[in-house]
Amino acid sequence: MNAKNADKIATGVLYAIAGIVILILAALLGYILIQGVPHLSWHFLTAPASAFTAGGGIGIQLFNSLYLLLITMLLSFPIALGAGIYLNEYANPKSKITGMVRMTIEILSSLPSVVVGLFGFLLFVVQFNLGFSILSGAIALTFFNLPLLTRSIEDALATVPDLQREAGSALGLSRWETVGHIILPAALPSIVTGVVLSAGRVFGEAAALIYTAGQSAPALNFGDWNPFNISSPLNIMRPAETLAVHIWKINSEGIMPDAQEVSAGASAVLIIVVLIFNFSARYLSSYLYKRLTSTK
Amino acid sequence: MTEKILTTENVRLYYGDNEALHGINLDYDQYGITALIGPSGSGKSTYLRALNRMHDLQDNVTVNGNFMFKGRDIYAPDTDTVALRKEIGMVFQQPNPFPFSIYDNVAFGLRISGEKNKSVLDEKVETSLKQAAVWDEVKDDLHKSALSLSGGQQQRVSIARALATAPEILLLDEPTAALDPVSSHKVENTLMALRDQYTMIIVTHSMSQASRLSDRTAFFMSGDLIEVDSTKQMFLNPTEQKTQDYISGRFG
């Protein structure tokens, strides 16, 4: 067989593999959306769930998911940013300590999320007496989210050419000034992408939350914005079943007559929100990139 | 004899245990252009970067020798490198504007040192861009991103950025190596126009550039300074055989 034919065959095989990947994704998305979208309505998106009768919604779970995501990001972003800056700008790549930090992050990122959840349950829920709460869930999700977010921030900083660092110090900037005034702004588009993509992952996470944020969604009073009241949506010490946990729960022990439909609808909402995160990451990043590189 | 603005004596530089510069002695009058030429790996860029302590950023580099800038020891422990680099500015091989607007790039050094007055900034930005001979091309788009400019314009904006902090010495590390001939020509003209106001030290691989631009040329090879003389003398009648060989293109 000559090189030309071999090349043709290789090209064909690679196209086929890429095609299969796309097909699987399309089938999966298509199935979930076709099953779920017909059940979507304003009522479904806003009403509280009902345990025994048909016609319940996912309003509280949807709110819980978004709120938990916000708290998780507030906890994990500053830590990941600091760690990313340290690893890329300050750490000596050859030192043992840097190697250890990196290894720790890699191990943390390969921990199964259910293990992170059980750890969170034993430590925060039981030992620190935080109970099943948004706070416990957010801390568990922070553990789950930190490695990837740190890595993506580190990668974003690494894509800024060293020329920029040299230019900074040639102007007499300290390393910290160079990072703050030049490197971070230059890396902003990729950092934003990393944050939004990790938000999508956090949003869909269930296993780490089952034993930390809990499996119940107490009724919320959306007129009460005092974070210390138990029925206030802002209270971070209340148990909060999220959308992903809700799907898991109705599929394993749901006894409402329309469990199938609720599950399908909730799955569709989950997928749609994650897709929105993914697309907005792309859009935001290219928007920011354009703002940086061309006429505003 | 005129007062030297910068003198360097017995400069030795080590990467780890490896000596890369073997005792360089060179000094500079105020104003004018000195070209550093030599084959790749001869140590000319390494030497240039020692002049404003750019090696401080790297961990395994040791610099020895006596560096005096206007009578002050550059490597004294109490030297403020921030202030030093404002007086000894640097332009690199690759144009490296920050990903901000042209205006913000040029005003950057001034703002960092605390200048907030809008009219002062406006004026400094304009003079610097004029000095760098790029004002006419960018004056209507000062708030456009510097990254949207051509390579040659970016390099001249980088020069303007270095000039804005009013340095006395400008170090140029192959400033036209990444540019096309037309842009190189413009950058060269810029440097020519600045020769009466600044002391410039330029590393270049282009023999013709060295002969066109510089008043004085120093030839480096394998970490040694082989010869330094007026550019005319160096190119027409070098003392050393090695210089003769290099200039006539027999190696390097």
Side-chain angles (χ1 to χ4, degrees), chain A residues 141-214:
Chain A
L141 281 184
T142 296
F143 282 21
F144 169 77
N145 189 27
L146 259 185
L148 280 148
L149 196 56
T150 303
R151 172 54 67 84
S152 79
I153 291 176
E154 193 191 340
D155 288 347
L157 296 173
T159 57
V160 179
D162 277 344
L163 287 168
Q164 300 275 325
R165 293 179 183 86
E166 287 192 327
S169 52
L171 282 181
L173 272 65
S174 68
R175 197 187 301 216
W176 177 244
E177 286 174 321
T178 306
V179 170
H181 292 287
I182 300 165
I183 309 299
L184 281 182
L188 192 65
S190 350
I191 291 179
V192 168
T193 312
V195 168
V196 179
L197 287 180
S198 79
R201 274 169 37 89
V202 166
F203 192 80
E205 176 55 31
L209 290 177
I210 294 170
Y211 305 108
T212 52

Side-chain angles (χ1 to χ4, degrees), chain B residues 139-164:
Chain B
K139 63 175 183 238
D140 299 324
D141 315 293
L142 286 179
H143 294 285
K144 214 162 104 174
S145 165
L147 296 181
S148 63
L149 300 173
S150 75
Q153 289 170 330
Q154 287 189 10
Q155 189 64 310
R156 279 175 286 150
V157 168
S158 303
I159 294 176
R161 185 178 62 192
L163 293 178

Side-chain angles (χ1 to χ4, degrees), chain A residues 68 117 119-140 208-216 230 235-240:
Chain A
L68 189 60
F119 173 76
F121 171 72
L122 290 174
L123 193 63
F124 307 120
V125 177
V126 179
Q127 194 66 36
F128 293 168
N129 217 3
L130 297 176
F132 288 122
S133 62
I134 291 199
L135 187 59
S136 300
I139 297 174
L209 290 177
I210 294 170
Y211 305 108
T212 52
Q215 304 166 39
S216 57
I230 191 67
N235 188 323
I236 56 169
M237 299 313 293
R238 65 185 170 86

